Amino acid sequence: MSTSTTPRIPTAPLAPVAIPRRMSPRRWMAEIGWRHLVGLAAMAFAVFPILFVVSASLNPLGTVSSSGLLPKAFSLVHYEALISGSRGPFLQWYLNTLIVCGVVAVTQVFLSTLAAYVFSRFRFAGRRIGLLSLLLVMMFPAILAMIAVYTMISDLGQVIPVLGLNSLPGYIVVLLGGSLGQVWLIKGFFDTVPKELDEAAIIDGCSHWQVFTKILLPTLTPILATTVLLALVGVLSEFLLGSIFLTADDKKTLAVGLYGLLQGDRSNNLGVFAAGSVMIMIPVIILYQFLQRYIVGGSTAGAVKG
Amino acid sequence: MSSTHAPAHRERTTTIPAIVVRVLFLGAVLAVAAFTVPLMIELKQWMWLTVMVLATVAIFVLYSTKRFVPGKYLFPGTFFLVVFLITPIILTIGYSFTNFGDGTRGTKEQAVDSIVANSVQQTEDSTWYNLAVATQGDPVEGPFTLFLVDPETGTVYRGDETAPVQEISADEVTVTSGFVTEAEGYTILDAREVNAAYDALQAFAVPISDTSAVRVQGANQAFEGTTMLSYDDATDTLTDSLTGDEFTVGKVGDTEYFVDADGKRAFSQSWLQSVGASNYERLFTDAGIAKQFGAAFVWTLVFALGSVLLTFVVGFALALVLNDERMRGRRLYRSVLLMPYAVPGFISLLVWSNFYNRDFGLINETLGLNLDWMGDPTLAKAAVLLTNLWMGFPYMFIVSTGALQAIPNDVTEAARMDGASRLQTTLKVVTPLLMVAVAPLLVASFAFNFNNFNAIQLLTEGGPFLPGEYTRGGTDILISMIYRIAFGGSGADFGFASAVSVALFALTGVLAAIQFRFTNVLEDVN
């Protein structure tokens, strides 16, 4: 991973390197045209499930058998059903998900940033061991210990009810177990900022906290925001712990709620499920398009999406 | 500590707001500790008590002075990491040496209570109640609460397995024609739901006193009866007052139960106890289980390797093809190919799960096939890999494109000068250079897929299952198999599931070692 911790932000596509003369059609086909054919095929493969979701969400019948790639009819009934809550408290799920994902992603990245700052800028006993054990611990699949986490949280709920089972704060603190997950990634970002910057600030009388908040954080804001977004989409897909912890209908997240909706009556709830998916997917896709250049950098640096 | 910073700090004086914030913060921590510690002692939650005390001490040591600067930054994340990641792993190792599971969650005392309460028999003078079953949890799993109405007096009672029957005031509930129909904070089960939960309710007894309890009879009746069994502490035996039979503690398999004179298990209830290494023995020596575990392990490897290879080959090939400077619209291609990566994983998986329907699924319908994707183990495996390819190739495409653009042009030009063909340049010059950059990501992706629970659970739920087989379906990887052992339909067996988890932890450790080797991370931590 070390070889790639530096974000590799690709240079903007170069302007076409002068096309001196027009190629003959046959030559064009052999050199470039076939590339477009491959590209179009790949685009078709990439897009068809997304098209399917959109068209299923608009198909008034809302069954698997009647849904195809292109909508046969246009209707917003499924969106209405979702918003009105007749198939489950969808808006509540949406809100729960926003809360969980927002809090977890921001806290995770913030705590990782704190730790990454120390690992990047300070030299102290146990630093090397700390960094390496972090790498090791983060590789262990936390969900394997789900039984233990379940009993722990059920016990904690007896002392502090708000942190128990079937409560969003309880679920959130468990997910915060991954709080140091982005340390290596963010340490890579910190390492790219020249040390001379903070040394100058220290000479000017800044404390270590001021160096962190006034010098380094502002420099790294865009890439940290992207890291938050990637973490957010990761949390969005957390399903296993959610399905064990959040059983009450009004406590569910979208992943748990929509899964239940689809499992409950797959043939008839597809339309509603698709409408719900569109309402989650479209904002994320648009955000990704805007942040494309940062995401490319962030993903090369070793963030694997869940 | 930080040698570079130390001189600057000594000159600084502390501001008053900083002191106020610090005092308030430490005070708040102390208040939380003072509130929770007595409760934890009362509930005998030693694990949480330890966490609470250690955390409070750590906070005071780290934040009350100006020393330990790195510790101040590391503590918050480390706290969550230790409590919610490392502690559960240690607890899991502990569970793997016990019989923890359904019917063995509680203490011996609770098991005895449950056995005694369940021995309730109806007598001639039994009181009958109008029954409504309610729950604050799940209508199938419970936990259940009984609302009883005495048809003669109209008095309303409430009770569950842990709280004995007690009278409640009529304002808390709505009673319609002699039955409780609404209760604040509870969901009343309808007849269909009661039927669905019938087995659980049959084994359900709510104690009234040491010798009597209420049991459910039919969908809307309950009776009060006397217990037939009594427990004697001194001899550790249960005695049946009707037949005079005595039941003593004895071992059946690796777990202690109450057994009859012939040593046969008399009651299904047991309690949490240590079983030594027998969960591990079962895992490695029971031929049936070892075979299941082995088959799941092989498929896990195939799945993880196959996913990485497929996504990488497709992603890399696309990057090579589309990274030609003479092509127009490269940005468009890249934007569109990025889309699957932006779709949240659980949506992708659930959407794809609809495509494989035999009769109406998009794939069979579009291609005019009649393949039973989800019914045939091999096809189901192919379906899992195909879906994972769709989800993963954009990432590999992006990564490869980035790496390709980072390779300097003069390298490829030099190769061309030396007479290498386009293909040779790609295979012999570009690919090796790119592999250096992406190899660590491939290993990380392998490790991720090795435990990619969602990809299996949301797509196939592990299926297809052979008849009579519950623990492992055709597409179950190790982690989803553990989920099924722990929470699946054949009853919860947490102890055994924990043993399998520990085995998987060990495997993950080996993987981590391999990854460390591959990435040379040990050499350059700086």
Side-chain angles (χ1 to χ4, degrees):
Chain A
M1 227 169 263
S2 57
T3 47
S4 54
T5 38
T6 334
R8 208 190 315 271
I9 296 168
T11 47
L14 302 167
V17 188
I19 306 166
R21 59 208 145 74
R22 291 200 75 82
M23 293 184 219
S24 68
R26 177 177 294 186
R27 174 106 194 279
W28 183 85
M29 197 58 214
E31 296 266 330
I32 298 170
W34 69 276
R35 293 173 191 270
H36 283 291
L37 290 183
V38 173
L40 287 174
M43 279 198 342
F45 178 61
V47 159
F48 87 91
I50 299 172
L51 264 184
F52 175 84
V53 181
V54 175
S55 103
S57 77
L58 297 172
N59 173 0
L61 289 175
T63 59
V64 177
S65 55
S66 68
S67 298
L69 286 183
L70 297 171
K72 292 167 189 141
F74 181 86
S75 142
L76 292 174
V77 282
H78 301 310
Y79 291 91
E80 280 159 22
L82 269 187
I83 309 278
S84 70
S86 61
R87 304 280 182 93
F90 176 78
L91 292 179
Q92 183 71 48
W93 296 344
Y94 213 105
L95 183 69
N96 290 349
T97 306
L98 284 184
I99 295 172
V100 170
C101 293
V103 172
V104 172
V106 170
T107 315
Q108 267 189 4
V109 172
F110 179 65
L111 297 188
S112 287
T113 309
L114 286 180
Y117 168 55
V118 181
F119 280 126
S120 170
R121 290 305 202 251
F122 290 66
R123 294 291 176 270
F124 53 95
R127 173 177 173 275
R128 193 182 139 87
I129 288 292
L131 269 174
L132 291 179
S133 28
L134 209 56
L135 204 56
L136 183 70
V137 171
M138 296 314 300
M139 274 196 70
F140 280 91
I143 48 175
L144 269 188
M146 55 202 161
I147 303 158
V149 175
Y150 182 85
T151 45
M152 277 172 69
I153 286 295
S154 119
D155 280 354
L156 185 62
Q158 294 178 334
V159 182
I160 311 170
V162 111
L163 294 180
L165 294 173
N166 228 337
S167 94
L168 288 184
Y171 180 51
I172 287 174
V173 290
V174 170
L175 293 184
L176 288 182
S179 277
L180 294 182
Q182 282 97 347
V183 168
W184 275 83
L185 181 70
I186 298 174
K187 175 182 169 289
F189 303 152
F190 273 118
D191 288 345
T192 61
V193 180
K195 262 194 159 173
E196 288 73 22
L197 262 184
D198 33 320
E199 274 160 17
I202 290 169
I203 292 170
D204 288 348
C206 277
S207 67
H208 54 82
W209 178 247
Q210 283 168 325
V211 171
F212 177 65
T213 52
K214 301 225 164 112
I215 311 280
L216 292 172
L217 278 192
T219 323
L220 293 171
T221 306
I223 193 86
L224 287 179
T226 312
T227 312
V228 170
L229 177 72
L230 288 175
L232 202 140
V233 177
V235 182
L236 200 56
S237 287
E238 202 295 317
F239 170 75
L240 176 56
L241 290 175
S243 70
I244 304 173
F245 279 35
L246 309 170
T247 45
D249 231 12
D250 61 334
K251 293 291 185 336
K252 287 178 179 170
T253 56
L254 282 168
V256 180
L258 287 180
Y259 174 75
L261 200 66
L262 197 60
Q263 279 320 89
D265 188 353
R266 189 173 277 262
S267 49
N268 289 322
N269 278 346
L270 181 71
V272 186
F273 163 78
S277 302
V278 169
M279 288 169 66
I280 306 162
M281 190 164 92
I282 298 301
V284 184
I285 291 182
I286 293 174
L287 267 176
Y288 266 56
Q289 294 299 334
F290 277 115
L291 295 171
Q292 211 185 101
R293 47 180 287 139
Y294 294 112
I295 286 169
V296 174
S299 58
T300 327
V304 179
K305 192 187 75 160
Chain B
M1 298 285 127
S2 59
S3 53
T4 45
H5 293 192
H9 295 155
R10 245 174 252 132
E11 292 157 21
R12 297 183 50 79
T13 48
T14 313
T15 57
I16 294 192
I19 294 179
V20 172
V21 167
R22 180 172 295 177
V23 168
L24 282 180
F25 168 67
L26 292 177
V29 170
L30 207 57
V32 172
F35 170 72
T36 53
V37 163
L39 264 173
M40 285 167 178
I41 294 175
E42 194 190 318
L43 293 166
K44 296 185 183 153
Q45 294 184 356
W46 309 127
M47 196 276 300
W48 279 113
L49 184 68
T50 318
V51 168
M52 197 65 218
V53 172
L54 288 182
T56 311
V57 171
I59 289 173
F60 268 80
V61 170
L62 288 174
Y63 296 103
S64 61
T65 69
K66 281 184 163 288
R67 304 179 57 205
F68 311 115
V69 173
K72 292 192 212 303
Y73 287 90
L74 290 174
F75 177 78
T78 314
F79 170 77
F80 286 112
L81 178 86
V82 169
V83 175
F84 292 107
L85 217 58
I86 296 179
T87 312
I89 291 176
I90 297 170
L91 286 178
T92 303
I93 296 174
Y95 289 158
S96 71
F97 294 99
T98 69
N99 64 349
F100 191 25
D102 264 357
T104 57
R105 281 167 211 249
T107 60
K108 186 172 177 183
E109 212 172 33
Q110 288 168 332
V112 169
D113 282 351
S114 159
I115 292 173
V116 171
N118 271 301
S119 70
V120 169
Q121 296 280 324
Q122 186 186 336
T123 53
E124 278 170 22
D125 55 348
S126 285
T127 318
W128 285 81
Y129 297 99
N130 292 339
L131 165 78
V133 182
T135 183
Q136 287 179 307
D138 184 85
V140 181
E141 304 281 332
F144 299 109
T145 302
L146 304 185
F147 282 94
L148 309 166
V149 180
D150 189 327
E152 279 160 30
T153 62
T155 325
V156 184
Y157 301 91
R158 180 181 65 205
D160 58 39
E161 260 183 332
T162 47
V165 172
Q166 53 173 339
E167 193 179 329
I168 55 169
S169 83
D171 323 335
E172 288 181 50
V173 294
T174 314
V175 180
T176 318
S177 56
F179 287 88
V180 172
T181 49
E182 257 178 66
E184 213 183 306
Y186 292 89
T187 322
I188 306 281
L189 273 65
D190 61 28
R192 199 173 50 88
E193 288 168 330
V194 172
N195 247 331
Y198 196 69
D199 287 342
L201 290 171
Q202 274 303 295
F204 194 75
V206 181
I208 294 176
S209 67
D210 280 349
T211 55
S212 64
V214 170
R215 289 196 69 169
V216 175
Q217 177 83 37
N220 53 16
Q221 295 286 308
F223 63 85
E224 181 186 333
T226 47
T227 53
M228 293 293 118
L229 287 170
S230 61
Y231 176 69
D232 181 18
D233 252 339
T235 54
D236 198 12
T237 50
L238 286 165
T239 312
D240 190 324
S241 60
L242 211 63
T243 61
D245 289 342
E246 289 196 342
F247 304 97
T248 52
V249 172
K251 255 196 171 165
V252 179
D254 56 18
T255 301
E256 290 186 330
Y257 292 93
F258 278 99
V259 294
D260 60 17
D262 304 329
K264 279 174 75 180
R265 190 171 83 169
F267 308 99
S268 62
Q269 291 93 333
S270 184
W271 49 93
L272 189 61
Q273 51 196 281
S274 166
V275 295
S278 76
N279 284 324
Y280 292 95
E281 274 165 34
R282 203 171 132 206
L283 175 59
F284 293 114
T285 57
D286 183 316
I289 291 167
K291 207 176 136 212
Q292 294 280 355
F293 186 78
F297 179 57
V298 170
W299 164 236
T300 308
L301 284 181
V302 172
F303 166 72
L305 266 179
S307 297
V308 175
L309 285 180
L310 275 177
T311 53
F312 178 66
V313 167
V314 172
F316 177 46
L318 282 174
L320 277 178
V321 171
L322 299 180
N323 192 43
D324 189 308
E325 280 157 14
R326 296 166 300 177
M327 266 179 95
R328 280 160 187 271
R330 280 185 299 153
R331 277 183 83 119
L332 175 71
Y333 285 122
R334 206 164 72 185
S335 296
V336 174
L337 292 184
L338 184 72
M339 280 185 187
Y341 185 58
V343 179
F346 80 95
I347 293 183
S348 312
L349 289 161
L350 290 176
V351 169
W352 274 83
S353 70
N354 290 305
F355 293 167
Y356 297 113
N357 186 300
R358 183 180 194 161
D359 302 315
F360 321 111
L362 190 70
I363 295 185
N364 276 357
E365 211 149 84
T366 313
L367 302 178
L369 299 169
N370 186 27
L371 295 174
D372 189 8
W373 289 98
M374 289 303 167
D376 179 89
T378 317
L379 281 176
K381 287 181 169 112
V384 170
L385 282 173
L386 179 65
T387 307
N388 224 16
L389 169 66
W390 184 81
M391 292 179 66
F393 88 90
Y395 172 72
M396 294 297 181
F397 169 72
I398 293 168
V399 165
S400 303
T401 305
L404 277 182
Q405 292 178 347
I407 296 174
N409 269 343
D410 20 338
V411 177
T412 46
E413 269 164 29
R416 301 277 290 167
M417 292 283 207
D418 288 348
S421 72
R422 214 171 252 276
L423 185 69
Q424 280 173 323
T425 317
T426 305
L427 288 181
K428 302 233 165 105
V429 180
V430 174
T431 310
L433 275 175
L434 179 122
M435 285 309 285
V436 175
V438 298
L441 299 178
L442 296 187
V443 183
S445 164
F446 174 81
F448 169 77
N449 277 307
F450 195 83
N451 290 313
N452 193 345
F453 173 80
N454 279 8
I456 304 300
Q457 180 66 16
L458 295 181
L459 197 64
T460 65
E461 292 185 53
F465 289 86
L466 294 173
E469 181 58 67
Y470 302 107
T471 49
R472 187 186 75 88
T475 53
D476 260 326
I477 56 175
L478 287 171
I479 195 162
S480 60
M481 178 181 161
I482 292 172
Y483 176 79
R484 244 164 283 292
I485 296 171
F487 297 101
S490 56
D493 190 347
F494 294 159
F496 182 59
S498 298
V500 186
S501 298
V502 172
L504 193 43
F505 280 140
L507 282 173
T508 310
V510 173
L511 272 185
I514 296 171
Q515 171 160 8
F516 279 9
R517 270 194 75 93
F518 256 93
T519 57
N520 299 324
V521 74
L522 298 166
E523 276 112 58
D524 51 52
V525 178
N526 48 43

